[in-house]
Amino acid sequence: MPVQRTFFGRPIPAVPPRRMALLLASVAIFAVITLVFTLPNSIPVGPSLGRFTDHKYSLPKMPKKLPGATSILNPFRPIAHPPPIQKNSTNGESKWHAGWNWRSPFSSSITLDENRSLLPPLRVRPPIYTYYDHTLEKDETLKEAHNAILLTWRRAWWAQGFKPVILSPAETMNNQLYVELQRLDLDSQLNTELMRWLAWENMGTGVLCNYLTLPMGPHEDPLLSYLRRGKYPGKLTRFEKLGSGIFVGEKAEITAAVKTALASPDLKSAKDFIGAVPSDTFLIDPHHDSLAFYDTQVVTDSYSKVAKDIVNDPAKGLQTLNQLIIAHLHSTWQNIFSAGIAVLKPQPEHMSALVQPARKLADFLAQCPVSPLPASCPPNRPKCKPCVSSVPLKIASPPVYRNTSALYTIGTVPHPYTMAILSSFRDNINVRWIRRDSERDPWLTILTKELLGTGVSGAPRVIKFKEAVASEYGTFHSLWVSAEKNLPHDLDWHFGFTIPRNATDTGKSETPVPGPERRPQEKPDPKDGPVPNPEEMQKEKELLKRARDFGQARSEAEEKLRGAIEAWNLADTEAWKFARAFLARSRVERIKWEDEEKKYAGGAGAERGRSEGWGRWFDD
Ligand SMILES: *[C@@H]1O[C@H](CO)[C@@H](O)[C@H](O)[C@H]1NC(C)=O
Ligand SMILES: *[C@@H]1O[C@H](CO)[C@@H](O)[C@H](O)[C@H]1NC(C)=O
Ligand SMILES: *[C@@H]1O[C@H](CO)[C@@H](O)[C@H](O)[C@H]1NC(C)=O
Ligand SMILES: *[C@@H]1O[C@H](CO)[C@@H](O)[C@H](O)[C@H]1NC(C)=O
């Protein structure tokens, strides 16, 4: 007799075997369905998982569209809304999203948009103020000269990570204390000095700087790093021997100092602001190796030729002083990067045309600046090494990226298609060739070989690359440009000085200086790879042109090839998009600032009639 099974005391009805099978099948189906529908929610949604499941390094099936965020490779990924689009985060084809998690290898796992790169948050630029009364000057040529110096000042501080702002009497008049100043009826120099302080007080915390005070030192300099933090607790600070060249402080301290000065009984006998306030108002900092102040005293003592020029003809003299300052900024840069410039060329063969613009830029940077006093040093760096044209800065074309602090790196980032047709040296590549014959991520692999060795996958390489491009350190030690685009027009702002564009053939150079034509002819370094003969060079140029056109045209066949090659070279594509977006964003940042600033101070310190860019030098 079969055993009667019970469940909580009740008998369980016997189930015939056929119905039992049916029941088991239903349970199994139910279990599978439950698993499929609940599992996605139990997988943590986040970059840690998403970023790797998104881009498996397996043979990609050539998809019609790129596997973007809502990847077909990952069935468990819940569909999420992309993060909200940030303001001004597009320029041409480049799009970006700024976030603290920018070090993730593949942006699209976070931005959920294959075309939007994840960039580091924009560094906040602390304001640095200068005061210029544009209403005083009537003489046009003198105005022009002041404008040139203000432009130099803005550029130099911008390149060091600040937001240079030119204040004018408009800011002073906005200050409630201005009425008091008017009542005092001071002599003109002291009056100007107080106008300057009132303008600063009106703006608040920051740095007040004479426009003849310029940063000339490495980006990592402790004082510049401190100033960049934008918080200046404690007393107002000024610097030993720099007089009124530069002051640093918080709003409350500035207000207190201005009020003390205005109330001081011996204000009329004071020569300047420092004399008008008690001496304990300021903390005097003796360390300021990275600040150069070209005040009258310094110019008379050290650059007497320029001082004489200024006395004879102020406008012309100031232009000469401006040229001297630019030359000093440039030679300081050359001293900082004493190991030279590396124009990266990850594959030595057939890449000469690709790196040519970068190479030319390096030539310009290595050139000795046009200077009224070629052998002179900046006031803050008496032991500098002036540029000597017989010993130019070394330019090399290594295949790998080296993280050496005295080496400046100019990288040209090609799209994988560009890389493919140049390295294969033919323009008829197809999907079959890509999958059968081409290596994955050739560019990034070679570039990071020294840093990471071989046998590392694409993801860590991309992360290293992104650090080299966009970390604070990287930004000031390297420049990364797209191979398919012209060099950006505003490189002077990136470097902080006017880059000499072959001064001798513009016919503008007035002072005879040793130009590149007098340089010793360099023999090509065998380490820089083979030198192409003229026919090869011609073909390289044609291929490069084809690659540029390919980026524009969007026929269906090309779109497919593009998708295929991007999917095959995920890391190279990511690097290319990242570098492109980073450059585009820095341009947007600057243009936005330029737009805001040009309405103040009568537009002083703007670039005038000099938008020629680089086209002339690089389009051949
Ligand atoms: C930034 O965005 C504003 C509107 O959001 C637009 O008017 C402005 O032109 C943009 N600036 C740049 C440089 O794209
Ligand atoms: C990304 O850009 C390409 C080319 O501009 C375009 O074809 C594609 O649709 C874009 N993808 C998305 C998700 O916008
Ligand atoms: C390069 O070196 C600096 C300091 O030596 C370091 O902070 C930085 O992270 C390095 N960058 C890369 C890409 O390795
Ligand atoms: C500068 O101009 C001279 C003469 O016009 C030319 O021979 C030389 O190659 C140019 N140098 C550079 C770096 O372009």
Side-chain angles (χ1 to χ4, degrees), residues 360-609:
K360 210 155 186 176
L361 174 64
D363 280 336
F364 287 165
L365 287 167
Q367 205 171 304
C368 286
V370 178
S371 170
L373 299 164
S376 66
C377 278
N380 61 324
R381 305 171 70 91
K383 292 201 201 84
C384 82
K385 255 179 69 196
C387 184
V388 184
S389 55
S390 57
V391 196
L393 209 58
K394 201 163 159 281
I395 303 173
S397 293
V400 296
Y401 169 72
R402 293 200 174 96
N403 193 5
T404 316
S405 61
L407 182 71
Y408 195 85
T409 303
I410 305 178
T412 312
V413 193
H415 185 268
Y417 177 81
T418 313
M419 186 73 185
I421 60 172
L422 279 172
S423 60
S424 68
F425 215 41
R426 62 205 189 104
D427 63 359
N428 56 348
I429 61 168
N430 52 26
V431 175
R432 189 188 141 82
W433 179 86
I434 294 169
R435 294 179 71 174
R436 292 282 165 85
D437 300 328
S438 77
E439 303 262 341
R440 274 175 192 278
D441 299 323
W443 190 79
L444 209 51
T445 308
I446 302 172
L447 194 81
T448 54
K449 203 158 75 188
E450 217 174 80
L451 281 177
L452 296 171
T454 49
V456 175
S457 78
R461 290 187 198 279
V462 175
I463 296 176
K464 261 282 179 263
F465 172 79
K466 289 184 175 182
E467 265 169 25
V469 174
S471 65
E472 169 129 26
Y473 179 89
T475 316
F476 291 90
H477 287 79
S478 58
L479 173 74
W480 302 83
V481 295
S482 297
E484 298 80 17
K485 291 241 167 68
N486 291 329
L487 286 190
H489 284 191
D490 53 0
L491 287 175
D492 293 346
W493 293 86
H494 180 87
F495 289 96
F497 50 83
T498 320
I499 301 166
R501 295 147 164 87
N502 200 356
T504 40
D505 88 355
T506 58
K508 283 186 203 147
S509 167
E510 285 145 28
T511 23
V513 280
E517 72 282 5
R518 271 207 246 154
R519 258 202 201 172
Q521 266 302 314
E522 296 161 48
K523 284 238 173 62
D525 189 340
K527 270 190 265 154
D528 290 352
V531 180
N533 63 33
E535 284 138 56
E536 282 172 336
M537 195 64 184
Q538 192 52 38
K539 180 149 185 213
E540 279 184 28
K541 281 188 180 156
E542 276 160 24
L543 288 175
L544 194 59
K545 182 165 181 316
R546 164 121 182 84
R548 287 181 169 210
D549 295 345
F550 181 81
Q552 310 296 321
R554 298 233 173 264
S555 73
E556 202 169 312
E558 290 194 331
E559 209 54 64
K560 194 169 160 215
L561 191 59
R562 192 185 176 87
I565 201 155
E566 288 188 354
W568 186 253
N569 298 288
L570 285 175
D572 272 8
T573 308
E574 176 76 16
W576 178 77
K577 284 183 183 163
F578 183 86
R580 187 177 70 157
F582 189 73
L583 201 64
R585 184 179 68 170
S586 65
R587 183 177 157 71
V588 168
E589 182 196 13
R590 209 185 61 73
I591 289 176
K592 240 179 97 179
W593 164 72
E594 199 82 60
D595 267 358
E596 281 166 19
E597 283 300 308
K598 72 173 176 229
K599 46 183 186 281
Y600 303 113
E607 271 176 308
R608 288 189 188 153

Side-chain angles (χ1 to χ4, degrees), residues 253-265 267 273 276-278 281:
E253 297 289 322
I254 306 168
T255 312
V258 170
K259 285 191 171 153
T260 316
L262 287 175
S264 164
L267 179 59
F273 190 88
V277 291
T281 309

Side-chain angles (χ1 to χ4, degrees), residues 222-257:
L223 176 59
L224 293 179
S225 306
Y226 167 72
L227 294 181
R228 256 195 306 272
R229 261 171 251 148
K231 295 221 162 43
Y232 319 110
K235 271 194 191 173
L236 280 183
T237 307
R238 68 185 182 90
F239 295 88
E240 204 176 359
K241 300 207 187 93
L242 291 190
S244 301
I246 181 165
F247 300 99
V248 180
E250 299 269 341
K251 167 109 179 169
E253 297 289 322
I254 306 168
T255 312

